[in-house]
Amino acid sequence: MADDARLGAEASAKAAAAHVIRVLRETAAAHERMTANASAVVKAADVIAAALKDGRTVLVFGNGGSAADAQHFAAELVGRYEKERQAWPAVALTTDTSALTAIGNDYGFDRVFARQIEALGRKGDVAVGISTSGTSPNVLRALEVANDRGLVTIAVTGRGGEAGKIATHHVAVQEDRAARVQELHATVLHVICELVENELNG
């Protein structure tokens, strides 16, 4: 019985390791496919760098995992990515729980970001909407308001959705699985940070 248990545990460990390897290879393949859209990533970085150079602010927003990405991206700009340099103005519109709950309660959840854009966004600022599906109503509404107010808009999405049609610039991850899209979003946002730091900090 002990040998059977040991053999079963070994087989289970091998199966788990094979699964890990398969996921890592899928992720690597997804990153390789994303190289076809490198120019869109460069354009997004150029737009953000130009805005920051002019003293503008980057406003970032999304839901769930994309909310975490928004906070991470804003933190990299305000703090630093890899280089020592001045702080840059960036705000994640996902972090103020009082604003989110008050706006959601009084106006509806689809306006939790749009209302903040109305309050904080100025012409020439950059609004970055992150949505795995590209169809999140509150992200779409915020991008529309940002366009109306003269902000430069960037949509970071998965394969489809309306966000890319609304935004001035679109970084699309052409993958079907949400997990792969979210992994690519993290990489894309890091690359944008690196490009912006190289542009503004030599």
Side-chain angles (χ1 to χ4, degrees):
M1 294 296 291
D3 286 343
D4 289 344
R6 178 177 58 80
L7 291 173
E10 289 176 355
S12 179
K14 286 181 181 178
H19 181 75
V20 170
I21 291 168
R22 184 166 60 253
V23 170
L24 290 173
R25 286 175 174 164
E26 286 178 4
T27 302
H31 277 72
E32 179 63 29
R33 287 189 290 270
M34 187 62 193
T35 60
N37 207 16
S39 60
V41 179
V42 171
K43 184 61 180 176
D46 287 345
V47 164
I48 291 171
L52 292 173
K53 190 179 295 184
D54 287 342
R56 305 299 184 182
T57 299
V58 179
L59 304 173
V60 202
F61 45 92
N63 299 287
S66 298
D69 285 340
Q71 291 167 220
H72 184 173
F73 186 57
E76 303 281 26
L77 295 178
V78 173
R80 67 173 182 181
Y81 178 62
E82 291 183 333
K83 295 184 177 183
E84 287 295 337
R85 38 78 176 175
Q86 71 179 71
W88 294 322
V91 179
L93 304 184
T94 56
T95 57
D96 187 336
T97 54
S98 294
L100 291 171
T101 53
I103 296 166
N105 185 65
D106 294 345
Y107 296 97
F109 191 65
D110 65 329
R111 290 193 61 187
V112 292
F113 303 136
R115 186 71 172 174
Q116 292 184 77
I117 294 285
E118 292 172 7
L120 303 173
R122 299 292 181 267
K123 185 176 181 179
D125 288 345
V126 179
V128 182
I130 307 171
S131 174
T132 302
S133 66
T135 61
S136 302
N138 54 11
V139 172
L140 302 182
R141 188 78 175 269
L143 290 171
E144 290 169 346
V145 169
N147 282 336
D148 290 343
R149 295 182 66 85
L151 282 73
V152 181
T153 50
I154 300 172
V156 181
T157 74
R159 184 182 294 278
E162 292 297 312
K165 300 175 184 178
I166 295 171
T168 311
H169 305 284
H170 185 201
V171 179
V173 175
Q174 303 291 343
E175 298 293 326
D176 293 318
R177 290 189 63 185
R180 300 293 86 84
V181 173
Q182 291 167 348
E183 289 155 4
L184 263 297
H185 281 180
T187 300
V188 162
L189 294 171
H190 272 169
V191 172
I192 289 173
C193 287
E194 188 167 348
L195 291 173
V196 171
E197 280 195 345
N198 289 342
E199 174 67 21
L200 299 185
N201 211 48

